[in-house]
Amino acid sequence: MDISLLLQLAVLLGAIFLGVRLGGLAIGYTGGLGVAVLALALGMDPGKVPYDVILIIMAVISAIAALQLAGGLDYLVRAAERLLRRNPKNINFLAPTVTYFLTILAGTGHTAFSMMPVIVEVAKSENIRPSAPLSIAVVASQIAITASPVSAAVVFMSGVLEPLGVSYPKLLLVWLVTTYAACMLVALLINLFGNLDLSKSKAYQQRLAEGLVQPHNVGEREALPAGARKSVWIFFGGVVAVVLYACAISPAVGLIEKPVLPRDGAIISFMMIIASLIVMCCKLDTGKLLDMSTFKSGMAACVCVLGVAWLGDTFVSGHIDAVKETASALVGNYPWLLAVALFFASMLLYSQAATAKAIMPAVILALGITPENNSQVYILVASFAAVSALFVLPTYPTLLGAVQMDDTGSTRIGRFVFNHSFLIPGVLAIVFAVALGFVVAPLVL
């Protein structure tokens, strides 16, 4: 390993570490800083800017912002809340189910924020430590990104894998079945072996004595806007249209042999159509769209993906021959190592889409996978769920939100940073999803 490689690696890791320490948009900023240092100071060629991923995120978030302004997100949350309140004893299974499918529909895990206060309240009413349902609910909202037909990560992966002979419907089937089953398996383990009795929590008793625990209170809600339900049906219809179109242009289905719109263009245009219909049918004030929390978080995600994906591609592209040689030797002999690499990369890159874009193309080249020689493509499909390790560092927004919203003190970040409430459920969920993937993918593909 020569000195130039060590310096380049130091810049890569240093930029990511600095971004994580600064938090928020800073990981995108420092990613751009890292590209500048690698290019101007160390002579590397800048990598490809991830325009496709960014544009997909922008389009989906624009439609989600319209849905939120129309009251559609609140409508979905209240429907999910009714489900939780009617079945409080099953909170450990229903909480991750709700956050999982909200993410599947919306393509972003930030929808979990709206469910957290409800999960905490229902758990307290059943004397269950809120950390149990909250931990797996947050993890489910992240891992569901790898099964959402409108997420940038899934659109990118399907675009990469379909030319290699893997059909879009089969990809969705594998990812939906394995990721949801993994979340339910973790929920079952928590239910069977978790320390669920809230009354025995010392932190809870202390906070209760200090008056820091809010009393159980459903409270009154404001009436939803008139077009709330209508906006949900418009958005749901649009998501179905995206899936149907993607299936129709899939070579395996062959309904549209020469599509005018490729998959990326289709999802972007369909999302714009959805947003337009919601604005017109629900008579929205478009000046308020920029104030929506989903719009702000989505645009922040674009900046982060821009920086870290560009930085990652710059480094990987500069050492593509070495990456191919190493990946071919290791992944070819030990397929599960790809999942390990994706796990640690996503832990640092903070984005499922950015991680997939930085690593998957290099692995495809390394393994020599082609449409004629695709016997190893199942490795990529099975390992994909491992890009969801955003919970490892306790700085991700939904993780921090869960800690703040649990007034019982059961959901916490430990003294040693990594010993937080989400680490074990998250690792188990990814292990189960990948393991199931290695079983299901070869059977389905």
Side-chain angles (χ1 to χ4, degrees):
M1 185 178 290
D2 58 28
I3 188 64
S4 62
L5 176 58
L6 289 175
L7 289 174
Q8 292 161 5
L9 186 61
V11 170
L12 172 72
L13 297 178
I16 293 172
F17 178 76
L18 178 61
V20 170
R21 287 292 302 270
L22 294 175
L25 288 172
I27 193 169
Y29 298 159
T30 57
L33 171 64
V35 172
V37 174
L38 289 176
L40 299 177
L42 300 178
M44 297 190 74
D45 293 328
K48 296 178 182 178
V49 177
Y51 295 112
D52 49 354
V53 172
I54 292 172
L55 290 174
I56 290 167
I57 294 174
M58 289 178 64
V60 172
I61 290 300
S62 296
I64 292 290
L67 180 69
Q68 183 180 16
L69 182 58
L73 274 184
D74 287 335
Y75 179 87
L76 288 171
V77 168
R78 293 187 190 186
E81 180 179 347
R82 288 194 296 271
L83 176 66
L84 292 180
R85 292 192 187 281
R86 289 174 182 172
N87 302 274
K89 295 186 183 298
N90 297 317
I91 183 70
N92 289 335
F93 296 98
L94 292 178
T97 296
V98 166
T99 57
Y100 180 92
F101 284 103
L102 281 176
T103 299
I104 290 290
L105 180 62
T108 170
H110 291 293
T111 52
F113 277 117
S114 54
M115 292 308 306
M116 289 176 187
V118 181
I119 293 171
V120 171
E121 190 174 307
V122 173
K124 287 193 297 186
S125 71
E126 291 297 312
N127 193 39
I128 294 173
R129 296 188 189 218
S131 59
L134 272 179
S135 59
I136 185 57
V138 168
V139 169
S141 72
Q142 293 179 0
I143 202 170
I145 289 290
T146 59
S148 171
V150 293
S151 75
V154 167
V155 173
F156 171 77
M157 282 294 291
S158 59
V160 168
L161 295 174
E162 274 216 303
L164 300 177
V166 184
S167 74
Y168 179 79
K170 289 182 179 180
L171 287 174
L172 275 188
L173 176 62
V174 171
W175 292 332
L176 277 166
V177 169
T178 56
T179 55
Y180 181 67
C183 292
M184 290 301 98
L185 283 172
V186 176
L188 177 62
L189 290 177
I190 290 175
N191 218 46
L192 292 175
F193 304 109
N195 186 7
L196 302 180
D197 193 337
L198 179 59
S199 64
K200 294 181 180 179
S201 168
K202 293 181 180 179
Y204 170 67
Q205 294 297 340
Q206 181 179 346
R207 292 178 67 86
L208 194 63
E210 295 173 356
L212 298 176
V213 180
Q214 295 296 319
H216 176 66
N217 180 26
V218 176
E220 295 184 3
R221 298 289 186 89
E222 294 182 2
L224 290 173
R229 185 175 181 180
K230 186 189 299 181
S231 68
V232 171
W233 283 110
I234 292 172
F235 191 88
F236 181 72
V239 172
V240 172
V242 167
V243 175
L244 292 178
Y245 182 83
C247 291
I249 66 173
S250 172
V253 177
L255 291 179
I256 302 176
E257 294 184 1
K258 296 181 180 180
V260 176
L261 273 176
R263 184 176 291 102
D264 290 10
I267 193 171
I268 292 171
S269 61
F270 281 28
M271 288 295 118
M272 295 294 100
I273 292 171
I274 291 169
S276 299
L277 290 174
I278 292 176
V279 167
M280 292 185 292
C281 295
C282 302
K283 299 177 182 179
L284 302 184
D285 180 357
T286 55
K288 296 180 179 179
L289 288 169
L290 299 180
D291 297 326
M292 295 297 100
S293 60
T294 50
F295 184 84
K296 293 176 181 178
S297 63
M299 294 307 106
C302 287
V303 174
C304 293
V305 169
L306 169 61
V308 296
W310 193 16
L311 174 63
D313 191 76
T314 298
F315 182 82
V316 172
S317 298
H319 301 283
I320 190 63
D321 291 335
V323 170
K324 286 168 59 178
E325 182 179 346
T326 303
S328 178
L330 292 178
V331 178
N333 293 323
Y334 308 100
W336 52 270
L337 281 179
L338 174 58
V340 175
L342 292 171
F343 182 95
F344 285 103
S346 65
M347 181 181 81
L348 297 174
L349 296 180
Y350 257 40
S351 166
Q352 291 95 336
T355 303
K357 192 170 183 63
I359 293 180
M360 288 300 194
V363 174
I364 291 172
L365 287 174
L367 296 179
I369 300 174
T370 64
E372 297 76 27
N373 180 29
N374 63 359
S375 60
Q376 291 182 302
V377 75
Y378 76 93
I379 298 174
L380 282 72
V381 178
S383 302
F384 180 45
V387 301
S388 298
L390 282 60
F391 55 81
V392 175
L393 296 175
T395 52
Y396 198 74
T398 48
L399 187 152
L400 292 175
V403 173
Q404 293 299 319
M405 292 183 195
D406 181 6
D407 58 359
T408 69
S410 68
T411 309
R412 58 182 181 225
I413 298 171
R415 289 179 56 193
F416 304 105
V417 181
F418 288 99
N419 59 327
H420 52 75
S421 301
F422 309 87
L423 184 64
I424 293 176
V427 171
L428 286 175
I430 287 182
V431 168
F432 289 153
V434 171
L436 288 170
F438 273 98
V439 174
V440 175
L443 297 176
V444 174
L445 302 181

